[in-house]
Amino acid sequence: MHRFDAAINGVSLSGLDPYILLADIDERPPEYRQELAARAIRSGQRISARTRLSLPVALKIHITTPHILMRSHVMQRLAEWVGDGGWLTINTRPEQRLYVYPDPAPAMGSHLSWTDEIEVTLTAYERPYWEQTYPTVAVITEHGSICPIGTVPDAYVEVDVTNNGEGDLTTLTATCADTRIKLEGLAVPPGEHVKIAYTDKDVLTITAAGVSALANRTADSHDDLIAYTRQPNIITVEADQIVTAEFSSRGRWR
């Protein structure tokens, strides 16, 4: 039995090789960029902007065999497991995930000092928060509410709209709390979908029947659909056809 465990893209470290022991998980402080401005008359400064840049997690690993060739083989498996990064999960944060990169890639270090610890640092850049592994979901035909969890006050919202009508869907408006995205000039056949979603690297995508519809977003739309965490958020969908809309949101933790 292992006290600690980690997985990347669902592949568990504890099941990777019997000679791998995850001794510790070190969740390090996030890196911030702050912009400061002097206060008028009074001492001190004001924070005019504060941006979270990255969030590192260090895995402290032992390869428990002194056999040189076996250690090299195990290290190759570890490097393959880390790869280019992906979705990290750890057993100390159940049902949370973090999109990470190796920073740097794992290295064996001294072959003579085989009892030394190997540190694998995994850093989140585009999405520097732990977030819900399984999103909060609400399915509506006109209106409803959604209540994501988490300690960060806001959360991004994704929408998957299905055209249940008999004709092409040409206009669509999705709202959540104080934000809305309106699409015009669409041509979505019955049974097809309009999706507002984010890639793993946190890039907004809008597709209609599988084709990009970012250009169909109206000028008065917001950049994103945002929900407030730990409270109900009114959600609505309006279209020129009968639709079903699945709203989903992943709350985040500081």
Side-chain angles (χ1 to χ4, degrees):
M1 297 293 292
H2 294 265
R3 183 178 185 184
F4 301 111
D5 198 9
I8 293 179
N9 297 327
V11 179
S12 172
L13 181 59
S14 64
L16 196 65
D17 191 282
Y19 289 121
I20 292 177
L21 173 65
L22 178 56
D24 194 10
I25 300 172
D26 185 2
E27 295 190 47
R28 294 178 175 167
E31 180 187 358
Y32 284 93
R33 180 180 64 238
Q34 293 188 163
E35 297 178 16
L36 303 175
R39 299 181 66 189
I41 304 175
R42 298 184 180 183
S43 301
Q45 302 178 86
R46 294 191 187 279
I47 298 176
S48 57
R50 193 166 192 253
T51 305
R52 183 182 281 216
L53 301 178
S54 62
L55 181 63
V57 177
L59 306 180
K60 299 186 177 183
I61 296 168
H62 290 277
I63 298 178
T64 60
T65 174
H67 193 284
I68 296 174
L69 295 180
M70 183 61 71
R71 287 177 62 79
S72 295
H73 172 73
V74 174
M75 192 64 198
Q76 289 168 10
R77 297 201 67 184
L78 179 61
E80 182 182 9
W81 177 77
V82 172
D84 294 324
W87 287 109
L88 172 69
T89 54
I90 54 179
N91 66 329
T92 53
R93 283 183 173 266
E95 298 189 1
Q96 295 181 27
R97 67 179 193 171
L98 186 69
Y99 194 76
V100 297
Y101 297 87
D103 190 20
M108 174 69 78
S110 171
H111 285 271
L112 180 62
S113 303
W114 68 272
T115 59
D116 285 356
E117 191 172 75
I118 296 170
E119 185 171 285
V120 177
T121 302
L122 303 167
T123 305
Y125 290 102
E126 295 99 345
R127 307 171 79 132
Y129 291 93
W130 289 95
E131 63 181 51
Q132 288 177 260
T133 301
Y134 307 104
T136 300
V137 175
V139 179
I140 64 172
T141 53
E142 292 181 359
H143 55 80
S145 68
I146 193 168
C147 183
I149 59 177
T151 58
V152 177
D154 55 16
Y156 294 102
V157 177
E158 299 181 320
V159 188
D160 183 350
V161 178
T162 305
N163 179 8
N164 296 324
E166 296 182 355
D168 285 358
L169 184 154
T170 62
T171 62
L172 170 70
T173 304
T175 67
C176 180
D178 303 324
T179 56
R180 75 165 187 167
I181 290 179
K182 183 176 181 180
L183 304 174
E184 294 181 339
L186 303 173
V188 181
E192 288 288 350
H193 297 251
V194 177
K195 296 182 180 181
I196 301 171
Y198 295 87
T199 67
D200 288 345
K201 297 183 179 181
D202 206 31
V203 177
L204 175 68
T205 63
I206 301 176
T207 58
V211 178
S212 177
L214 282 168
N216 299 89
R217 181 170 49 173
T218 61
D220 60 344
S221 295
H222 292 89
D223 292 336
D224 304 279
L225 293 176
I226 302 292
Y228 300 107
T229 55
R230 305 187 304 280
Q231 61 179 288
N233 297 265
I234 300 299
I235 53 176
T236 65
V237 61
E238 299 177 12
D240 57 355
Q241 294 291 328
I242 300 172
V243 297
T244 301
E246 178 180 288
F247 285 69
S248 60
S249 183
R250 300 180 191 269
R252 300 174 293 172
W253 282 263
R254 295 190 185 277

